[in-house]
Amino acid sequence: MHAEFAAKLRLTAAVLGNATHKGLCARFRAVNPNTPCDIDRLHKWIQGRALPRSPQLYEDWAKVLGTHRPGTWLATCSMNEFRDEIALLFGASLEDMHRTETPRARSEAVNGTPSDPGGLRTLYGTFACYSLAWSPHYAGQLIRGALRLEPGKGSTLRATYTEALIGGPVQMIGDVVLSGGTLHMLLRNPDTGLPASMILIMPGPPASVLCGILSSQAFVAHHALPSASRMLVVRVPSAARLDTSNRYLDFSPSCVSDDLDGLGLKLDAPGPLNALVAAFLGRGIDQVSPIDQASFSSALDPLYFLPAAGKAALRIDPAPPEPG
């Protein structure tokens, strides 16, 4: 009983991508701030030295996994039954799951060091992306882009983000880094090298939606405009429709739910989602213009180059020579 419970916890950590006990505890606290799961107890459970005393732990566990099974089932099911449920929830293969149960993986899990990072598999798929347009020519509109998350080299996750702008499709590619419960993507256009940064909250299964920030510069503008905005990223079932429908959207109350409907994601009652979209994306963009730069330059440049009468200009020391 102790051994199977410990193995189930290790497999849970692996499929969720939580490499440390702290990360797995954070998952339990996210579904229940008063969960009986803490670092000390989890360490004993994964070592197989104890079992939870509170039934609430199993109910929290079911929510962490995103299963419809009750907590009592998780407490009593066999390891084989648990593997079948994990395969159904996360698409994990039997080979992947056995890999997490090798002596090395068990040792890593017991000692709280990184184990199999296969939990990123839950993010594989295609997503519709919604953010406010940065171009002054499309102020107040949404831009609907597409994000594809796929296996990269080794255990990495590869991201491809595309938008349709005036000059045609723009594609940006980069690896995904999981850190502190967030997904970091430094994306670059393969032709121009233009970078963009996307930071999203790591979701629990089934990873239906991710919220975060997109930052780069406005593409369709007369001047370079460093820009950042909130981004809503929604998993969609139809990759073919997604790839051919990137565009600007009028920011109407139902624009996102209507677009998702066209992508095969049917909502019985779109009203609550529409209200969430309006509140989340309706806060505007954060953008810096050359006028901002010029205003501060006018205020501060004279301190260096045009001193007032009787005052010496501040001296800018040259950079020190490089060693060697």
Side-chain angles (χ1 to χ4, degrees):
M1 188 71 175
H2 285 61
E4 288 214 334
F5 175 72
K8 292 176 190 176
L9 276 182
R10 290 195 294 270
L11 185 52
T12 297
V15 297
L16 292 175
N18 296 114
T20 66
H21 297 174
K22 183 178 179 181
L24 186 55
C25 277
R27 290 285 188 148
F28 277 85
R29 285 195 300 273
V31 300
N32 177 12
N34 298 316
T35 183
C37 180
D38 61 34
I39 294 291
D40 292 336
R41 291 192 183 103
L42 182 62
H43 190 62
K44 292 178 182 178
W45 296 338
I46 285 183
Q47 286 180 324
R49 295 193 288 121
L51 290 173
R53 296 180 181 179
S54 171
Q56 183 61 48
L57 183 282
Y58 297 97
E59 299 302 325
D60 296 344
W61 193 3
K63 294 176 183 178
V64 167
L65 287 171
T67 179
H68 295 295
R69 304 274 194 177
T72 52
W73 184 86
L74 291 174
T76 59
C77 70
S78 69
M79 190 61 197
N80 285 336
E81 290 172 327
F82 186 76
R83 290 193 192 99
D84 290 341
E85 183 69 8
I86 291 297
L88 183 65
L89 292 170
F90 300 96
S93 69
L94 198 59
E95 179 182 355
D96 290 332
M97 286 187 275
H98 280 312
R99 191 180 302 123
T100 70
E101 297 164 28
T102 64
R104 178 180 177 181
R106 287 196 295 271
S107 173
E108 290 174 338
V110 165
N111 291 292
T113 53
S115 188
D116 191 342
L120 291 177
R121 181 180 287 100
T122 62
L123 297 172
Y124 294 172
T126 52
F127 300 81
C129 302
Y130 304 91
S131 59
L132 284 170
W134 296 344
S135 169
H137 306 294
Y138 294 89
Q141 295 192 45
L142 293 186
I143 188 162
R144 210 298 306 286
L147 177 67
R148 179 173 277 100
L149 297 177
E150 302 170 305
K153 294 181 180 180
S155 60
T156 62
L157 189 63
R158 192 72 168 167
T160 302
Y161 176 65
T162 56
E163 290 181 356
L165 303 179
I166 291 178
V170 174
Q171 184 182 80
M172 310 193 83
I173 302 172
D175 290 331
V176 179
V177 176
L178 175 61
S179 176
T182 54
L183 300 167
H184 298 249
M185 309 175 202
L186 180 58
L187 308 170
R188 289 186 181 275
N189 180 278
D191 297 322
T192 65
L194 183 69
S197 175
M198 191 182 295
I199 304 177
L200 305 171
I201 294 175
M202 174 70 180
S208 62
V209 62
L210 300 89
C211 297
I213 301 289
L214 176 68
S215 63
S216 184
Q217 72 178 61
F219 296 108
V220 185
H222 295 303
H223 304 283
L225 298 173
S227 307
S229 64
R230 292 184 168 202
M231 172 172 274
L232 177 67
V233 180
V234 182
R235 183 186 295 276
V236 293
S238 175
R241 293 187 211 175
L242 183 67
D243 291 339
T244 58
S245 60
N246 286 340
R247 66 197 186 283
Y248 291 98
L249 299 174
D250 289 331
F251 197 179
S252 65
S254 63
C255 62
V256 170
S257 60
D258 290 344
D259 186 59
L260 291 174
D261 185 85
L263 294 170
L265 196 62
K266 307 294 182 180
L267 296 168
D268 295 330
L273 176 65
N274 292 337
L276 288 172
V277 169
F280 181 72
L281 295 179
R283 299 189 181 187
I285 60 175
D286 199 359
Q287 200 163 62
V288 179
S289 74
I291 295 176
D292 298 317
Q293 175 73 30
S295 298
F296 279 99
S297 294
S298 296
L300 296 173
D301 281 357
L303 298 178
Y304 292 89
F305 302 116
L306 301 172
K311 294 184 179 180
L314 294 176
R315 184 171 60 89
I316 301 176
D317 293 325
E322 295 184 2

